[in-house]
Each structure stands twice: as C-alpha cells, then as structure tokens.
Amino acid sequence: MLRNRIVAALVAVLGAPCLFCATEALAPKIDKQKLETYVRYAEGFSPEVKISIDDPAPSPFTGYYRVLVHLTAGAHQLDRLYYATQDGQELINGSIWKLNESPFVDTLEHLSSEGPSFGPPNARVTIVVFSDFECPYCRALAKTLRDKIPQKYPTDVRVVFKDFPIDSIHKWARAASEAAHCLASQKPGAFWAFHDWIFEHQQEVNETNLRDHALAFTKQQNLDVVAVSSCMANHVTAQEVSRSQQSGAALQILQTPTIFVNGRTISGAIPWQTLDNVIKIELNRPKEIIAGSAEKCCEVGIPTLAK
C-alpha cells in the first residue's frame, strides 16, 4: 500500500504540469531601463541614439525569449534582436542553433517570401533580396541575379524582390518602388521589365524626372498609362513598399543590397562566384539539417562611439 501511495503521489505531481511549467509558459519580466543602459554601454551607442524595447516574446528556442530593441537616430531606424533567458537576467547577443534545424530558423520564421519573384515556387533555394532602385551596388547585384540565376539554376533557385528604399540618402528610390508595383498591378511581368530598365538607366533618373520615365516606360509596355499615372499620383502601392521596408528593418538590415539565401544573411554586392558557392552549399546541405566581406554602399546609420 505504501508503494502504491508513493506511485500515486508521483503521478499526481508529474501529471500536474502547471506546478512546474507555469513559469516556463510566462515570458520573463525585464527591467527595460537597466537593459537599455546595459545595451547602450555594451554596443557603444552614441547618446543621440534613442532606444525603445519591446516586451519579451516567444522564440523557437525553449527557455529563451525574443527581445526586440528599436534604435532611432534622426531619420534612421534599426531593430536589433536579442534573446532573454527565462529569469530575465541574461541577454544573448548572437545566434542560438539547434543541430537538427537550420541555423537560420528564427530568421526564416520572420522572413516573408511574398513579392515579385522569378524561378519556380518549389525551388530548393530561395534568395530574398532587399534592394533600393537608386543604390549603385544594388544595380550590380541585380544584374548578377538576373543574368546568372536563370542561366545556371533555372529549376533550383527562386529570387524574391523586397523594397528597402533608404530615404535619407536616396531621393527617388521610394517613388521608383511605388511605380514598379503600379506597373505590376497592370501585368506582373512588367515589374521585372521595369526593374531591369531602371537599374540599367539609373544614372539618367532623378527625383524630378522619375515619373516621366516611368510613364514613358508604361507606354512602351503597351500598358494603361492613365491607370499607372493615377496609381503613382495617389501612392496606391505605398503601403506595400512600406511593409517591405519595415520587414527588412525587423530583420536588422543595415545596408542595401542585403540578400537571404535560405535564411543566410549576406550583405553587399557580392560577386557571382561567391554567390554561386553559397547556392552550392544550400544544394548540398546535409540531410539532417532541416531547411528552413562584400562591398557596401547604402547603409542605415545608427551611430556608435566607434563610428
């Protein structure tokens, strides 16, 4: 009887997960002021950088919580991701890896693959590129992607375009993004035609003639000029561009171009040989891992004491 009572007691305890798991289910409480002071010191952020901190949120990693820190310096905004431990007393600045999952699982959970794309939807490799139509290094990478990917990887790679206009240094990039999506609303393929055209003629475009160039291109494509003109004038696609830009900021993008190759972050106009090697790594990824130094031009400026 004693043995049965002991077993019954153990079953009662083990069968009541709330006794032990309630604290695990609750996100930790953090001292945001203390955390801001610590992060400012550790990262070396200048005094003019304004910092706001979200409440801890669930992450893909048991016992760790996402803490998103929003940085603002003048017109520049940037989000930094940290992980808090269950007790809220330790902060991880870096990546957490599970050996049977993609090392980029957290990025993949927050990286949308919606948007203008080329390549098959079921491709083994997805490249998501955040780009700015006024950025010269984006032009170089765009040519690499458009020329090389369909030629070498017509069935294995899909490329998705995301808008990330940097308004503080590029005066017509946002308007160009809106125009591209206005054209796409007429005919999806027109987006890529305009994408190729505007990068090729980038040096001829400025903030005063962008609209005329876009409408002239619309006419060349035999699309509805009046409809595209109205779309541009009324900023019909502005929210689409802003959503893309905000998603890039949440992924801690610092510069354009930035690409994600199956979640792997690569910044700058990398040469084809480098990109080709990264694609091969993904195509030869070990089966047990579930999928999930470049030039730079256009950077989000969040000042630190070091720069």
PDB file of all heavy atoms in Angstrom, residues 1-12:
ATOM      1  N   MET A   1       0.827  -1.211   0.000  1.00  0.00           N
ATOM      2  CA  MET A   1       0.000   0.000   0.000  1.00  0.00           C
ATOM      3  C   MET A   1       0.857   1.256   0.000  1.00  0.00           C
ATOM      4  O   MET A   1       0.554   2.233  -0.662  1.00  0.00           O
ATOM      5  CB  MET A   1      -0.930   0.004   1.227  1.00  0.00           C
ATOM      6  CG  MET A   1      -2.069  -1.018   1.157  1.00  0.00           C
ATOM      7  SD  MET A   1      -3.162  -0.921   2.588  1.00  0.00           S
ATOM      8  CE  MET A   1      -3.802   0.735   2.405  1.00  0.00           C
ATOM      9  N   LEU A   2       1.943   1.211   0.794  1.00  0.00           N
ATOM     10  CA  LEU A   2       2.839   2.375   0.841  1.00  0.00           C
ATOM     11  C   LEU A   2       3.425   2.663  -0.544  1.00  0.00           C
ATOM     12  O   LEU A   2       3.490   3.814  -0.982  1.00  0.00           O
ATOM     13  CB  LEU A   2       3.952   2.137   1.857  1.00  0.00           C
ATOM     14  CG  LEU A   2       4.985   3.264   1.985  1.00  0.00           C
ATOM     15  CD1 LEU A   2       4.297   4.568   2.391  1.00  0.00           C
ATOM     16  CD2 LEU A   2       6.066   2.873   2.983  1.00  0.00           C
ATOM     17  N   ARG A   3       3.825   1.556  -1.213  1.00  0.00           N
ATOM     18  CA  ARG A   3       4.400   1.710  -2.564  1.00  0.00           C
ATOM     19  C   ARG A   3       3.361   2.320  -3.511  1.00  0.00           C
ATOM     20  O   ARG A   3       3.671   3.215  -4.305  1.00  0.00           O
ATOM     21  CB  ARG A   3       4.848   0.346  -3.080  1.00  0.00           C
ATOM     22  CG  ARG A   3       5.459   0.363  -4.467  1.00  0.00           C
ATOM     23  CD  ARG A   3       5.991  -1.016  -4.845  1.00  0.00           C
ATOM     24  NE  ARG A   3       6.535  -1.028  -6.177  1.00  0.00           N
ATOM     25  CZ  ARG A   3       5.799  -1.243  -7.274  1.00  0.00           C
ATOM     26  NH1 ARG A   3       4.496  -1.466  -7.157  1.00  0.00           N
ATOM     27  NH2 ARG A   3       6.368  -1.235  -8.463  1.00  0.00           N
ATOM     28  N   ASN A   4       2.138   1.868  -3.417  1.00  0.00           N
ATOM     29  CA  ASN A   4       1.091   2.394  -4.276  1.00  0.00           C
ATOM     30  C   ASN A   4       0.833   3.873  -4.016  1.00  0.00           C
ATOM     31  O   ASN A   4       0.573   4.655  -4.927  1.00  0.00           O
ATOM     32  CB  ASN A   4      -0.202   1.595  -4.090  1.00  0.00           C
ATOM     33  CG  ASN A   4      -0.095   0.190  -4.648  1.00  0.00           C
ATOM     34  OD1 ASN A   4       0.775  -0.071  -5.479  1.00  0.00           O
ATOM     35  ND2 ASN A   4      -0.968  -0.713  -4.206  1.00  0.00           N
ATOM     36  N   ARG A   5       0.899   4.232  -2.699  1.00  0.00           N
ATOM     37  CA  ARG A   5       0.683   5.649  -2.365  1.00  0.00           C
ATOM     38  C   ARG A   5       1.797   6.534  -2.913  1.00  0.00           C
ATOM     39  O   ARG A   5       1.558   7.645  -3.380  1.00  0.00           O
ATOM     40  CB  ARG A   5       0.601   5.810  -0.843  1.00  0.00           C
ATOM     41  CG  ARG A   5      -0.677   5.258  -0.256  1.00  0.00           C
ATOM     42  CD  ARG A   5      -0.664   5.357   1.255  1.00  0.00           C
ATOM     43  NE  ARG A   5      -1.880   4.793   1.828  1.00  0.00           N
ATOM     44  CZ  ARG A   5      -2.088   4.654   3.129  1.00  0.00           C
ATOM     45  NH1 ARG A   5      -1.133   5.046   3.992  1.00  0.00           N
ATOM     46  NH2 ARG A   5      -3.216   4.140   3.579  1.00  0.00           N
ATOM     47  N   ILE A   6       3.039   6.006  -2.832  1.00  0.00           N
ATOM     48  CA  ILE A   6       4.175   6.776  -3.382  1.00  0.00           C
ATOM     49  C   ILE A   6       4.008   6.957  -4.883  1.00  0.00           C
ATOM     50  O   ILE A   6       4.187   8.054  -5.419  1.00  0.00           O
ATOM     51  CB  ILE A   6       5.505   6.075  -3.058  1.00  0.00           C
ATOM     52  CG1 ILE A   6       5.761   6.116  -1.552  1.00  0.00           C
ATOM     53  CG2 ILE A   6       6.652   6.728  -3.826  1.00  0.00           C
ATOM     54  CD1 ILE A   6       6.969   5.314  -1.112  1.00  0.00           C
ATOM     55  N   VAL A   7       3.654   5.871  -5.575  1.00  0.00           N
ATOM     56  CA  VAL A   7       3.445   5.951  -7.034  1.00  0.00           C
ATOM     57  C   VAL A   7       2.330   6.934  -7.358  1.00  0.00           C
ATOM     58  O   VAL A   7       2.434   7.765  -8.268  1.00  0.00           O
ATOM     59  CB  VAL A   7       3.137   4.552  -7.610  1.00  0.00           C
ATOM     60  CG1 VAL A   7       2.698   4.667  -9.066  1.00  0.00           C
ATOM     61  CG2 VAL A   7       4.347   3.650  -7.484  1.00  0.00           C
ATOM     62  N   ALA A   8       1.238   6.841  -6.580  1.00  0.00           N
ATOM     63  CA  ALA A   8       0.104   7.742  -6.829  1.00  0.00           C
ATOM     64  C   ALA A   8       0.507   9.193  -6.629  1.00  0.00           C
ATOM     65  O   ALA A   8       0.103  10.095  -7.376  1.00  0.00           O
ATOM     66  CB  ALA A   8      -1.059   7.374  -5.895  1.00  0.00           C
ATOM     67  N   ALA A   9       1.334   9.425  -5.600  1.00  0.00           N
ATOM     68  CA  ALA A   9       1.788  10.793  -5.339  1.00  0.00           C
ATOM     69  C   ALA A   9       2.649  11.321  -6.478  1.00  0.00           C
ATOM     70  O   ALA A   9       2.522  12.469  -6.901  1.00  0.00           O
ATOM     71  CB  ALA A   9       2.560  10.841  -4.018  1.00  0.00           C
ATOM     72  N   LEU A  10       3.538  10.443  -6.976  1.00  0.00           N
ATOM     73  CA  LEU A  10       4.396  10.852  -8.095  1.00  0.00           C
ATOM     74  C   LEU A  10       3.576  11.140  -9.332  1.00  0.00           C
ATOM     75  O   LEU A  10       3.815  12.120 -10.057  1.00  0.00           O
ATOM     76  CB  LEU A  10       5.430   9.751  -8.384  1.00  0.00           C
ATOM     77  CG  LEU A  10       6.561   9.606  -7.380  1.00  0.00           C
ATOM     78  CD1 LEU A  10       7.395   8.359  -7.696  1.00  0.00           C
ATOM     79  CD2 LEU A  10       7.432  10.852  -7.386  1.00  0.00           C
ATOM     80  N   VAL A  11       2.581  10.292  -9.602  1.00  0.00           N
ATOM     81  CA  VAL A  11       1.715  10.510 -10.762  1.00  0.00           C
ATOM     82  C   VAL A  11       0.970  11.819 -10.634  1.00  0.00           C
ATOM     83  O   VAL A  11       0.822  12.591 -11.583  1.00  0.00           O
ATOM     84  CB  VAL A  11       0.726   9.327 -10.926  1.00  0.00           C
ATOM     85  CG1 VAL A  11      -0.339   9.660 -11.963  1.00  0.00           C
ATOM     86  CG2 VAL A  11       1.477   8.066 -11.330  1.00  0.00           C
ATOM     87  N   ALA A  12       0.512  12.098  -9.417  1.00  0.00           N
ATOM     88  CA  ALA A  12      -0.221  13.339  -9.196  1.00  0.00           C
ATOM     89  C   ALA A  12       0.640  14.554  -9.468  1.00  0.00           C
ATOM     90  O   ALA A  12       0.215  15.535 -10.071  1.00  0.00           O
ATOM     91  CB  ALA A  12      -0.756  13.384  -7.759  1.00  0.00           C
TER      92      ALA A  12
END
